Amino acid sequence: MKIKSALDALIIGFALFAMFFGAGNIILPPIIGLLSGGDWDFAVSGFSITAILAPFLGIIAVLISGDEFTDLGKRINSLLGWILATAIILSIGPLVAIPRTAATTYEIGVLAIWPNFSPIVSSIIFFAITLVLSISPSKVVNIIGSYLTPLLLLLLVSMVVLGIINPIDTTALVERSNDDAFRLGFSEGYQTMDVLASVIYAGIIISAVKSKGYVKLEEKTKVTFMAGSVAIFCLLFIYGGLVYLGATSGYPMGEHLKRTELLLHISNGVLGTQGTFALSLCIGLACLTTAIALVCATGTFFSQLTRGFLSYRLVVTITCVSSAILAVNGVDSIIDYAAPFLGIIYPITLTLIIYMVAFGKRVKRRAPFVGAIITTAIVALIQFSSFLSLKYDFVEFSEKTNNFIKWLPMSSYDVPWLVPSFIAFTLVFVLDKLLFKQTT
């Protein structure tokens, strides 16, 4: 039984790693290492908190509440839970993240080898493969964990190990003067957006655990933790290795520094002439595994939301077709319209995760959690208004709102809502407790 559970946890853990590890996760770490230099290890520490620990807490938060994200939302308000879940699944699904996987594959993976390849043909091929591999939800985790992830890990580990053994340029490692390395890694970790994905992936992972016979809460929790540990170890090794490769890349830091060019420079420097092909394959596999997981999550969610009126296969097909159309617009176009939308949803979701993991078992009343979420939403909306006013040339208003955000604690870490939300949670908890005592 122990051998079986360990093997199951390994496969599910590999699948979870691949779900989280999209193309953005490959592109971000090297630039962090380049900018951190000798303080690359502090940057890894900061990045690990927001890009590894926070997403894992998302899965734990769902596990504490039930089997799916909507169970987590019900701890606050059933309607709010469904609204937030729908907003998340749309943002990390057919509107943003899924089209971005195909667009990234084309711009970094395909064009590097075939410069004149059609973006339309690339998008059609990408989503045809995605559709075939995600049409059966029960097999998704096994397909990703047993076949696609080992190949992706083999390529990534090879590049990291070879880069550590024979670094391109170690001169930057002697410069240990960047006090902001931890902050840089911490802030950049948000850009993976894996916290949003985690609460949706949780349902897939927990369902996979249950399908393997672990139905009791104790067994389900144990295997999920084991699988999470596998994913965390893989992510930490790969992220740390890629940050180190960036720090030892010897790449010149100019005004027009491009992350994709840095990554290509590293892969060619470490793997030689085959570096471009290896990188293209890594990008393709990373994007494909993420796309499969997101398409599967979208199909499952809307099938459940409509109580089967929209079948899983129909939603998956529609998602792949619509995503293929949006992907042709390119990565920059997708990011431009997605950034403000995600800037509101992300803090609210992370607030829900943090307070549910920290207080979910001890605080049974809903009011404190609602207070924290409303406070976070207000701060996020102020940030959004600052961005919007600057875009439409309301400079004075933008400066005032921006100065207010900077005045809040932890704003330099991109979490200006954290302290206000904790104050709101505490105040509402105390007031709610006093009022509840008076009515009983």
Side-chain angles (χ1 to χ4, degrees), residues 13 29 49 51 74 78 85 107 118 128 138-139 145 161 175 212 222 240 269 288 295 329 363 385 401 414-415 425 434:
I49 292 174
K74 288 175 185 176
S78 295
E107 293 181 15
S118 168
S138 62
K139 298 179 180 179
V161 171
E175 301 174 7
K212 292 184 179 296
K222 181 180 178 181
L288 185 62
V295 168
N329 295 326
V363 179
S385 66
T401 51
D414 288 343
V415 285
F425 183 91
L434 290 173

Side-chain angles (χ1 to χ4, degrees), residues 169-357:
D169 184 356
T170 59
T171 54
L173 297 182
V174 298
E175 301 174 7
R176 298 185 63 86
S177 59
N178 189 351
D179 297 330
D180 294 328
F182 179 86
R183 185 179 301 169
L184 172 67
F186 190 92
S187 299
E188 286 292 312
Y190 290 118
Q191 304 303 319
T192 65
M193 288 295 170
D194 282 342
V195 166
L196 291 180
S198 70
V199 294
I200 303 301
Y201 288 161
I204 299 175
I205 295 301
I206 294 171
S207 176
V209 170
K210 290 170 66 177
S211 70
K212 292 184 179 296
Y214 308 100
V215 181
K216 293 181 180 178
L217 180 61
E218 183 180 349
E219 293 178 342
K220 186 172 65 174
T221 303
K222 181 180 178 181
V223 175
T224 302
F225 264 90
M226 289 169 63
S229 300
V230 171
I232 287 172
F233 175 80
C234 293
L235 287 169
L236 185 59
F237 178 79
I238 299 300
Y239 283 151
L242 290 174
V243 171
Y244 178 80
L245 294 188
T248 58
S249 65
Y251 195 80
M253 286 190 289
E255 292 182 8
H256 304 291
L257 179 63
K258 291 186 177 180
R259 300 180 182 195
T260 53
E261 290 180 1
L262 169 61
L263 193 57
L264 194 59
H265 168 80
I266 291 172
S267 62
N268 287 334
V270 173
L271 301 174
T273 55
Q274 302 302 315
T276 301
F277 293 96
L279 179 61
S280 295
L281 188 55
C282 279
I283 293 291
L285 284 171
C287 288
L288 185 62
T289 52
T290 301
I292 292 169
L294 291 174
V295 168
C296 176
T298 303
T300 302
F301 177 80
F302 283 108
S303 178
Q304 291 177 349
L305 181 65
T306 60
R307 300 182 184 275
F309 178 77
L310 297 175
S311 69
Y312 170 84
R313 294 194 170 196
L314 177 62
V315 176
V316 164
T317 303
I318 294 172
T319 299
C320 286
V321 172
S322 62
S323 297
I325 295 170
L326 290 173
V328 178
N329 295 326
V331 175
D332 291 338
S333 174
I334 295 169
I335 291 174
D336 285 343
Y337 74 73
F341 184 62
L342 294 173
I344 296 175
I345 298 174
Y346 193 94
I348 294 173
T349 305
L350 188 52
T351 297
L352 181 57
I353 289 170
I354 291 173
Y355 288 99
M356 191 55 64
V357 171

